[in-house]
Every structure is written in structure tokens, then in C-alpha cells.
Amino acid sequence: MGKFILALNIIDGPLIVASYVLSIALCATLLMRRAPRTLAMTALSGAAGAAAGAVIVLVAEQIMHAFGGPLGWAVRIWVIAFFAGLGLCGANLRASGPWRKVLASVAVLSFAASAALGINAYYGLNATLASFLGVSLAPRIDLGPAAHHAAAPQKPLWETWKAPAGMPSEGSTAQVLIPPQISGFPSRPAGLYLPPAARVPNPPALPLVVLMMGQPGDPDPQHAAEVLNDYAAHHDGLAPIVIVADQLGDPLVDNLCLDSPLYGRPETFINRDVVDWARIHLNIIDNPKYWTIAGYSHGGQCAISFAAKYPSIWGNVVDISGEEFPGAENPETNLREVFGGNQAAYDAEKPVNIMKQQRYPNTQGIFTASTDDPVYLEAARHVSAAAAAAGMTVTYYEVPDGGHGIAALNGGLNKGFELLFPRLGLSQPSS
């Protein structure tokens, strides 16, 4: 029963509809006041709450830059509507009977739930109650050492692989615990996607993708699984093995994907601990050409930073709606707290500056952002241009009207794998 509740759809299912209906009914009831003067005061309180919400959005978004970039209008409206509801509740808690006070208290919870679900639905990244609460429904598994690994194959897999009878039609997802043996970084369990070709007796060695999500965010493999199951269905079950690694530890803290005394060693965790674990436990092609570091939003910045620093590990990078540099949302605070005011040290960690120091003739870079996501669009343009200037083979792609949510993520993943499948030997190159 608990798993059933956690698996409930909160994007467009009955739960979110019921929440909206309840909130509308409560709002209408709270506005029902017999005395005209009381009704006017109640409406005025709602309007004052809406005005307060608008000011809070303006200050947080434009002055404090708390969200990195502009919010969508749907998010702004939800915040304003929530504060308007609080105004209504406040008016009904004053000079009223016990039942109306109880009703107003229940309405506060209902309005908060509706606003949270509405904002979540706008971004679309948490499709279930479980993912909204940061709970993974994928089973936890323990993998032993892989039977073997392979260097770069003599021929691409699409030429040599034939799907055996009985191969599953879809890949599988799981949670795995990656020990931070070198970094000591307190990561959450990683997500793992195994494509159909990895789920058969005597599977082929496959390419590896390490994917990092945004902040706040969870290492949930479902997004990658949905995209890659479709690709696998059209390529005899072939797709990369994907580790959705947790570069955050604490989802509420932006650790800049850098090793620091303040936030621990996430950079070492991804590029040493995750890499070492993959080499031991996964049946992968152990060659940089077949290894991809990828990320969305916060994870996108991590991905290009790591690709720039460690080209001997990562032969491909997919940066989806990534920030331009570590901590770009609050550079002044990060300069002070992480770098002790040393601007040169901070500048040295920016990908565009790292890529000026060397050439990347063997790296393929894919950079995407949405046409209606101006801050991240400009970041993608700037960073992709720097990557091209440094010798990477670069594709820059704009996702039509994807915002900074699920459409941007899916658009970036689809474009990234469309370009990577031929390079990884998973599909025939187009003529």
C-alpha cells in the first residue's frame, strides 16, 4: 500500500486534480461572508497577500537572484496565488467561529499542497510522489565484480551484435551504493540503468554514461531509462549502461562540484570513486571514446568541468541546460566562502578558462538549452563556443520552448544520444 501511494502520478493524475478542486472549494467557502464589510475585508486581505507574494517573487528573483535565472510565469502565479490564499486564511482566523478557524487552518495546508504540486508539475521532473519526496522506487542491488572488460572493439557493436531470443524488451533500473573509498564524500545511492542487451547471458561490453542531475535533485535513473529504452527498442537492445551519480550529497547545498574544505570532495568522488566502481562492477568498454560524462542544470556544469579537467577519462560530454561555471547562481557568496575572496582561484575553476589551457581533439561535446531559458541558453552558447575553440567536436542545440524542466532534460538527452549512438558504435552512422 505504501509503495502504491509513493508511485502515484502527481503531474497529471487524479491526486493533483483532487488537490486543485479541494483548494478551489476551500477558497470559495472562505470568501462566503454574510456581512458586506467582513466580505470586503476578507477580499482585501487576499489582495494584500497576493501583493506580498508578488514582492517576494520580485525580490528573490531579481534582487537576490535566488533561483539562478528567471522563473516561469506559472511558478510566479502559483507563488502569488499561495500568498493570496494565506491572506484569505488570515482574515478568516480573525473574529470568527471555531469551525471557520478550523476551515482556514485546513485551507493553509491545502493551498500549500496545491502550490507545491502545481510548481512541480510545471517543471515535470518529479513524476511521482516518491520522486517528489526524494525516495527511489528502484530496487537496491549489490553487484559483484564484472566477469570481464573490453578495450575498444575491432568493429562497432551494431555490426556484430545480434539480439538473442528472449532478450527483455526494456532495460532495468536499480539503486547501487558506490563506496567513497578515496573521496570520503557522503553521496546518496546512485541510480543504475542496464539496457536490454546487458540483461542477457554473455552480454556485450557496452559504453558507459555517468549522468548527474540538477540541484536540488535526486539520482533517479527513470529519466535516462525512458529515453534509452526507446533508443534500445530501435537498435536491437543496445544502449549505454548509465550510472546516475549523486554529486550533491545534500540536495539543498550547491557544492560547486569542487573539492573543498567546506563541502567535501564531490569532484574526487565522481572522477575516482565512481570511475573505479564502474571499472570493477560493470561490463563496459574501458576506453575514453566510449565514456560520457553528462549532466542537467547543476549537473551540466559539473559535466563540462570534469570533461575539461579529465579528457583522459571522458571522451564525450553532454551538458544539458548547464550553468556557465561553478556556483554561477551566487558568485559573490561563493567567491567569499569557498575561495576566500581569491578571484584568480575562482576564475581558474571556470570551464571556459580551463579549456584555454589545452586542446581536446578526441572529445565530442554536446551542449543544449531551451529557447525560452535565457540565462542557461547564453551559458550554453558561451561554453560551447569555448569548447569548439579548444578543439572539441561540438554540437550546440536549442530545445524548442523547453523551459528549465522536463522538456529541456528530455530534449537534451534525446539530442545527445542521437549524436552519441553512432560514435559509441551502437548505431550505423548516417550517410
Side-chain angles (χ1 to χ4, degrees):
M1 184 64 178
K3 189 171 183 179
F4 171 79
I5 293 173
L6 288 171
L8 286 174
N9 183 309
I10 58 171
I11 298 294
D12 52 15
L15 182 64
I16 192 169
V17 173
S19 176
Y20 292 168
V21 170
L22 177 60
S23 290
I24 291 170
L26 287 168
C27 181
T29 304
L30 293 177
L31 281 169
M32 290 179 183
R33 309 300 293 265
R34 292 182 180 179
R37 189 176 186 287
T38 306
L39 175 59
M41 291 299 296
T42 301
L44 186 62
S45 293
V55 170
I56 289 172
V57 169
L58 178 65
V59 171
E61 183 179 1
Q62 301 296 328
I63 299 175
M64 298 178 63
H65 303 289
F67 310 106
L71 297 172
W73 273 107
V75 177
R76 297 179 185 128
I77 290 170
W78 273 115
V79 174
I80 292 169
F82 171 63
F83 278 91
L86 289 184
L88 286 181
C89 294
N92 278 269
L93 286 169
R94 296 192 302 269
S96 61
W99 74 270
R100 188 168 281 274
K101 284 181 167 56
V102 171
L103 200 67
S105 300
V106 171
V108 170
L109 301 177
S110 179
F111 294 162
S114 291
L117 290 173
I119 292 171
N120 178 72
Y122 170 76
Y123 287 109
L125 294 167
N126 298 308
T128 65
L129 186 60
S131 57
F132 182 78
L133 297 173
V135 177
S136 177
L137 296 179
R140 182 80 66 89
I141 62 172
D142 294 317
L143 294 178
H148 64 279
H149 299 88
Q154 296 296 315
K155 290 186 177 181
L157 280 171
W158 68 266
E159 284 191 31
T160 60
W161 166 255
K162 300 298 180 186
M167 183 183 71
S169 60
E170 293 188 340
S172 65
T173 59
Q175 294 183 78
V176 292
L177 188 62
I178 299 178
Q181 293 183 338
I182 299 172
S183 68
F185 183 70
S187 74
R188 293 167 291 173
L192 179 68
Y193 169 76
L194 297 175
R199 303 179 62 203
V200 299
N202 302 311
L206 292 167
L208 173 70
V209 173
V210 173
L211 173 67
M212 296 165 288
M213 295 298 291
Q215 186 267 325
D218 301 305
D220 189 340
Q222 289 301 319
H223 302 298
E226 289 172 7
V227 171
L228 283 174
N229 277 335
D230 184 58
Y231 272 89
H234 293 88
H235 296 93
D236 292 325
L238 291 174
I241 292 173
V242 181
I243 298 172
V244 186
D246 175 31
Q247 83 281 13
L248 294 171
D250 184 343
L252 300 179
V253 173
D254 179 2
N255 58 27
L256 282 66
C257 272
L258 297 173
D259 291 352
S260 69
L262 192 60
Y263 298 125
R265 303 176 70 193
E267 180 177 335
T268 298
F269 175 71
I270 297 295
N271 296 284
R272 290 294 306 276
D273 290 323
V274 172
V275 165
D276 290 349
W277 184 90
R279 283 187 168 128
I280 293 170
H281 294 91
L282 299 177
N283 184 22
I284 51 179
I285 302 172
D286 196 353
N287 184 293
K289 178 183 175 181
Y290 297 88
W291 283 34
T292 301
I293 187 74
Y296 162 71
S297 192
H298 180 277
Q301 185 285 123
C302 302
I304 184 56
S305 288
F306 296 160
K309 290 180 178 181
Y310 306 104
S312 63
I313 299 176
W314 311 110
N316 311 283
V317 56
V318 182
D319 178 352
I320 302 170
S321 301
E323 299 168 350
E324 184 171 342
F325 57 86
E329 294 183 354
N330 295 291
E332 295 85 3
T333 301
N334 290 315
L335 173 62
R336 181 180 66 255
E337 295 183 355
V338 180
F339 295 94
N342 187 335
Q343 186 66 61
Y346 197 178
D347 290 343
E349 295 291 350
K350 296 178 179 180
V352 295
N353 294 329
I354 296 170
M355 290 186 288
K356 291 177 181 177
Q357 308 303 314
Q358 58 182 307
R359 304 290 295 172
Y360 300 86
N362 301 315
T363 302
Q364 177 157 327
I366 300 156
F367 301 84
T368 74
S370 297
T371 54
D372 55 349
D373 193 14
V375 171
Y376 294 89
L377 192 69
E378 182 58 31
R381 288 172 178 162
H382 190 198
V383 177
S384 64
M392 287 190 194
T393 301
V394 167
T395 299
Y396 167 75
Y397 175 70
E398 296 184 0
V399 179
D401 303 320
H404 197 72
I406 189 64
L409 173 61
N410 285 340
L413 287 174
N414 273 295
K415 176 55 69 172
F417 289 123
E418 173 192 325
L419 296 166
L420 285 175
F421 257 59
R423 175 171 167 83
L424 301 177
L426 301 176
S427 68
Q428 185 174 2
S430 58
S431 58

